[in-house]
Amino acid sequence: MGVKKLSNTSNEMIEIGDTGSLRNSGYTFEEFVPELRSRNGAEIFDEMRKNDATINGVLTLMNQLFYNVSWKYSTDCVDNDLEKRGIIVEQMLNDMEKTFTQTMNDALTFLPHGYSLLEIVWKQRLGLHTDRRFYSKHNYRDGLWAPRKIPLRSQKTIIKWAFDPTGTPIGAFQRIPSSGREVFIPIERLLHFRTTTECDLPEGISILRGCYESYETVKKIRRIEAISIERDLAGIPVVYAPASIMSKKTDENKRQYDNLASQIVNIRNNTQAGILLPSNIYEGTNHRQFQFDLVKAAGQKQIDTNTIIERYEANIAIQLLADFMYMGAKKAGGTYNLAEVKIKLFAQSLNYYLDVVQDVINDSLIRQIYIMNNWPLENMVKIKHGNIDTIDFEIFAKSIMELVQCGALTPDHTLEKEIRERGNIPQIGEDISNV
């Protein structure tokens, strides 16, 4: 069967459908909670990741695990020229103003926000030049084009998007906080990291999205709990005053009433509270005209806020696949095997996010380096991340030895390479190429 020939105006080359994302005038409306749309959502997710102990703890654990991951450069071809280009690409990414690891930390903000945008700023390597556009901190003088820096464009400053007629994002509009100026950054200048590409939605979906309701509930309960504790400890001020003052029939009565009311509501900090009640004076009794008391709540609270808060915090950890952090604490049970399974699932999810970062760097950044320098695109060098491995290397090595002894595995170069990689042992005849 022959290959079908298409004319220049063939319908097969024209996109008919649309991504189907809800958008209008550069704004997206896929998020059904209005507070979480666009910059408002960025502000809330930023608050959640910095203000909630559970969320902050999980994200800190993620960042530490990501920091220990090694990055290596490889090519499928053994051609010397291609290998040299691979070395040059590695040099370029290590010659940026910010280190590669710091740049990856910026990229990984796509986890709490759903997406991250890093702008590629180029330079021409002309050694220790006074102009940053040509400066190489390692004094490379080959004149090649290389990324000078890849800075993050804060999600809180991205106001809207630009789409082509079919809904594919082609750029972002950013408002500069210091000047209020609005700039457009085309997608070709950006590394666009997203948790999901569903409907080609440029904002992705934050990993904190499922935690939002629990976070807001816990925040409200904690605020009410703090106020309740203060009121229980201090009590509510009560002042008894003559009925003539409370009647406020004269200006003097009104002045005295306002003065007493002001005093009782300002006895406490935080929310103002106080009770002003009338009192009568009886002749021949010891009853005073004015009396001050503190009324405290009687009995024990019927609602245990600790249990409620712990339940919602556990929901947050489950949403982030990090509920293993609660095992053995806060009355949470679980066996060692169950914890091991949960940790493996957590590590697998992190490896998926590293795959996302890896693919964007290979498809966008390294490809643009080749294009800028007029290098052939065949057999491009690719960056590859190491695994967040939860396997005990001693157990792994013992298992390999037993499989080799029984003949199930045959030692070869591929097996040795994998073992060295799992054990973080340098490969044979290979320079250290970790970033």
Side-chain angles (χ1 to χ4, degrees), residues 336 340 344 387-402 415-427:
Y336 174 80
E340 189 176 12
K344 286 182 179 179
N387 288 325
I388 297 178
D389 207 341
T390 61
I391 299 177
D392 188 314
F393 182 70
E394 182 178 352
I395 297 176
F396 173 74
K398 183 178 179 181
S399 300
I400 293 295
M401 181 182 68
E402 292 174 352
L415 179 60
E416 181 178 356
K417 184 178 180 181
E418 178 66 19
I419 294 175
R420 287 177 174 271
E421 185 173 336
R422 290 291 185 97
N424 198 23
I425 304 171
Q427 300 293 334

Side-chain angles (χ1 to χ4, degrees), residues 258-295:
D258 292 341
N259 184 41
L260 289 171
S262 176
Q263 290 181 26
I264 62 173
V265 298
N266 286 294
I267 287 174
R268 296 173 61 253
N269 292 325
N270 196 10
T271 306
Q272 295 179 339
I275 302 174
L276 181 61
L277 298 175
S279 67
N280 296 319
I281 301 175
Y282 299 97
E283 295 182 0
T285 67
N286 294 326
H287 198 285
R288 292 176 293 182
Q289 290 186 343
F290 296 92
Q291 181 178 338
F292 176 83
D293 289 319
L294 286 175
V295 177

Side-chain angles (χ1 to χ4, degrees), residues 310-374:
E310 287 177 7
R311 184 177 80 235
Y312 282 108
E313 286 181 341
N315 288 341
I316 291 174
I318 291 172
Q319 175 65 30
L320 298 175
L321 301 180
D323 52 317
F324 60 87
M325 297 176 65
Y326 280 87
M327 300 186 70
K330 297 184 178 181
K331 300 179 182 179
T335 64
Y336 174 80
N337 290 337
L338 179 60
E340 189 176 12
V341 170
K342 289 178 178 290
I343 292 172
K344 286 182 179 179
L345 291 174
F346 182 72
Q348 288 175 3
S349 69
L350 299 188
N351 282 324
Y352 163 75
Y353 294 131
L354 288 173
D355 288 341
V356 172
V357 174
Q358 171 184 292
D359 292 343
V360 172
I361 293 175
N362 287 329
D363 296 341
S364 297
L365 179 59
I366 294 181
R367 185 179 184 85
Q368 287 196 50
I369 291 175
Y370 271 67
I371 293 174
M372 291 286 290
N373 292 291
N374 294 318

